[in-house]
Amino acid sequence: MRHSQYIKCGAFCLALLSLVTSPLGKENVVKALSENLLYSGRWEIQQDYSRTSAPAAMVQFNASAKSLEFDVEGEARFRIDEDGKEIAQFISGGRKVHKVKVSGDGEMHRYRLIKVSESNPGFAKVYGISLDKSGKFGSTPKHTNRRIEFIGDSFTVGYGCEGQLGDADDLVFIKTNASKSFAFLLADGFKADFQVNAFSGRGLVRNYDNIVPEWKVPRLYEYVVPGGAPSDLEKGLPDGGLKYDLDSFHPQVVVVFIGINDFQGNPPYGDKKEFAKAYTDLLNRLRSAHAGVKFLLVSTKIWPNDDLTPTVKAIYQAELDAGRKDVEFVEVHTENTALHGHPSERSQSDLAQTLRPLVARLGGWLSR
């Protein structure tokens, strides 16, 4: 991987090449690096492919077509939307072209390829998108004037939200759906550009049951493709892959829902003072990078000690005492009846509705 090939990649990425012809001879094909595609989330954009590990990472384009073909690789579940409505899903593994039939009415439609699974670790690659011979790409979708970032863990990912409490452990992959998480629902409802930087089982100072302790949220957050960073380091690649540039995307609102894994599972739990310092350091780093950014600090009841909410509330109070006016706090209640005691689809939707007016106020947006 050569750093010189890196294109800054925030909520949405606009690449610089024109339409290209498929090596298979097909017409109406765009490679990953194309002016017709708009990327949401953190993506590494190379000449021949785009790579991501982020839940809810998305590619948008306009097209008139009878069918779409997606050349992808890596273990992932993808959802395909036409004009905001889901029309298909497919599961990727080894490199393969996945064909999806669309309306084929001759009209121009907005299509979205959404990665609904999590890659933690791992990643997915998109090599290109092609249309049927009679199809054509339209103008590139545009940025919006609203930008949100979500930093969190499995609750933000949408982990297991399509499952049930008693489902088998091996159903995580097919029961997780980031497009049904509160984060995606909020961003989609506001028609906002967004990033979902969330990692199941990870915390600020301690991961759940102390799993992979060297890869906690602050370190993962440093990378464009955090799911690929551990393997990149093992391969001897510089810095474990591309480091993320905070100038790539300037959110107006950051929703921070982190800390469940620091204080839940088998003890020992995270040190509260260390957690408070890491939390405050994160806020201050984002303030320095994003002028005028606002923060919504979110907490919920956890077991067995319910240490998270008092700890985050104390952080919030310290922010107020320091004269900060860019931060709000809310405690939420979720119905943890989905896989492994996570919020269900219904609970994720309710959570989005709960947070919606708070995010709207922080962003100065009409809640519509």
Side-chain angles (χ1 to χ4, degrees):
M1 184 188 308
R2 291 177 294 175
H3 285 236
S4 61
Q5 292 178 331
Y6 175 52
I7 290 180
K8 286 186 178 181
C9 204
F12 281 74
C13 300
L14 283 173
L16 305 174
L17 297 185
S18 301
L19 287 172
V20 298
T21 302
S22 162
L24 299 178
K26 291 184 179 179
E27 299 177 351
N28 303 333
V29 178
V30 291
K31 286 188 176 182
L33 187 61
S34 170
E35 64 181 5
N36 296 84
L37 305 180
L38 199 57
Y39 287 85
S40 169
R42 292 190 183 183
W43 290 81
E44 173 194 336
I45 309 296
Q46 298 282 357
Q47 180 71 34
D48 296 322
Y49 64 82
S50 55
R51 186 173 75 140
T52 187
S53 63
M58 181 167 66
V59 185
Q60 292 191 86
F61 58 95
N62 292 317
S64 171
K66 297 177 181 177
S67 64
L68 313 173
E69 291 186 355
F70 300 95
D71 184 358
V72 298
E73 181 181 22
E75 184 182 31
R77 285 175 59 221
F78 288 95
R79 160 181 160 178
I80 300 87
D81 284 6
E82 182 180 80
D83 298 329
K85 182 179 179 180
E86 181 177 340
I87 58 172
Q89 285 194 18
F90 66 81
I91 295 175
S92 62
R95 185 173 178 180
K96 179 181 176 181
V97 174
H98 298 263
K99 186 174 182 178
V100 175
K101 291 184 178 180
V102 295
S103 60
D105 58 7
E107 300 295 323
M108 195 65 64
H109 297 278
R110 172 71 57 85
Y111 292 102
R112 307 194 297 190
L113 175 69
I114 308 167
K115 180 175 169 287
V116 301
S117 58
E118 183 179 13
S119 301
N120 183 21
F123 53 83
K125 288 182 176 180
V126 177
Y127 291 93
I129 300 171
S130 61
L131 314 177
D132 60 277
K133 289 184 178 181
S134 63
K136 64 178 181 178
F137 286 93
S139 60
T140 306
K142 304 298 183 183
H143 295 280
T144 75
N145 60 358
R146 298 175 176 183
R147 300 179 300 281
I148 312 176
E149 180 179 4
F150 301 88
I151 301 175
D153 48 40
S154 55
F155 277 40
T156 304
V157 167
Y159 179 103
C161 67
E162 295 183 322
Q164 302 295 323
L165 194 59
D167 283 345
D169 292 348
D170 60 5
L171 293 178
V172 172
F173 178 72
I174 63 171
K175 297 298 183 180
T176 294
N177 192 330
S179 70
K180 294 183 178 179
S181 71
F182 77 87
F184 183 88
L185 295 174
L186 267 174
D188 203 37
F190 282 119
K191 294 181 172 57
D193 296 357
F194 68 96
Q195 289 189 357
V196 179
N197 297 314
F199 315 94
S200 293
R202 310 303 174 91
L204 280 179
V205 299
R206 181 258 194 190
N207 292 338
Y208 186 84
D209 282 356
N210 205 36
I211 59 171
V212 287
E214 69 276 20
W215 288 100
K216 294 182 277 286
V217 170
R219 188 180 184 193
L220 290 166
Y221 191 81
E222 294 294 320
Y223 293 94
V224 177
V225 186
S231 61
D232 285 347
L233 279 172
E234 290 177 2
K235 295 173 184 175
L237 296 177
D239 299 323
L242 295 175
K243 291 296 185 74
Y244 180 67
D245 183 353
L246 287 171
D247 282 335
S248 301
F249 173 61
H250 292 294
Q252 296 153 311
V253 180
V254 178
V255 179
V256 183
F257 192 0
I258 198 73
I260 294 173
N261 297 303
D262 291 271
F263 302 111
Q264 195 161 268
N266 295 311
Y269 303 118
D271 180 84
K272 294 177 184 177
K273 289 184 179 179
E274 186 182 356
F275 178 86
K277 182 180 185 306
Y279 203 118
T280 303
D281 287 348
L282 175 63
L283 297 182
N284 287 335
R285 182 186 180 194
L286 295 176
R287 282 190 181 104
S288 296
H290 311 306
V293 67
K294 303 293 194 302
F295 299 97
L296 178 59
L297 314 185
V298 186
S299 181
T300 191
K301 181 179 179 62
I302 60 171
W303 287 266
N305 300 326
D306 197 21
D307 286 335
L308 180 60
T309 295
T311 305
V312 177
K313 285 182 77 172
I315 294 168
Y316 171 62
Q317 187 59 52
E319 292 288 307
L320 296 182
D321 292 344
R324 301 289 191 185
K325 298 180 179 180
D326 57 0
V327 60
E328 289 196 20
F329 167 82
V330 62
E331 180 181 8
V332 298
H333 303 279
T334 56
E335 180 186 89
N336 301 327
T337 58
L339 185 64
H340 296 156
H342 283 77
S344 63
E345 290 182 52
R346 175 179 176 179
S347 189
Q348 288 281 358
S349 178
D350 289 345
L351 183 52
Q353 291 302 315
T354 298
L355 299 182
R356 184 178 181 83
L358 299 172
V359 172
R361 183 165 67 248
L362 287 169
W365 308 327
L366 292 175
S367 183
R368 57 178 174 82

